[in-house]
Amino acid sequence: MKGAYWDPIDHARTTQPRAGESFIDTLWWPGLLLLGIGTILIACTVAASAYGNSGLSLTLALIAGAIVTAGTVLITLEHRRVNRVERRWRAEHPDGAPRLRAS
């Protein structure tokens, strides 16, 4: 999609302009990757606890918590940026919003 960084909202082709926002806008990907890594580390924490290795499970839990928090913060910041872009576009194009057909 052309200009996905500058304007990830699909204004013309859909009545749901944010459908697929996390895949169209590639700036979400680092946050999604961190959430995936954090989920794997949470599973490793559970496994370490099951084997009775409390030192390793505490370390993994702290690292997983930090990584999941960082991923969540990145996704939240990018979503706020997309909201700002959409508000700016709507201010510049007051009649440009897609409309649903009346049946």
Side-chain angles (χ1 to χ4, degrees), residues 17-85:
R18 291 193 178 174
E21 175 185 351
S22 61
F23 296 106
I24 292 170
D25 184 11
T26 57
L27 294 177
W28 274 58
W29 293 359
L32 293 174
L33 181 66
L34 286 176
L35 286 178
I37 292 170
T39 303
I40 292 170
L41 285 176
I42 290 171
C44 293
T45 301
V46 170
S49 296
Y51 284 112
N53 195 341
S54 61
L56 181 61
S57 66
L58 177 64
T59 304
L60 287 174
L62 292 173
I63 293 170
I67 288 177
V68 167
T69 302
T72 304
V73 166
L74 285 175
I75 288 174
T76 301
L77 290 174
E78 179 56 18
H79 187 67
R80 287 184 181 180
R81 184 191 73 84
V82 170
N83 283 338
R84 283 192 313 268
V85 168

Side-chain angles (χ1 to χ4, degrees), residues 12-16 97-103:
R13 293 183 292 161
T14 183
T15 58
Q16 297 178 344
R99 290 181 172 75
L100 296 173
R101 289 184 184 170
S103 327

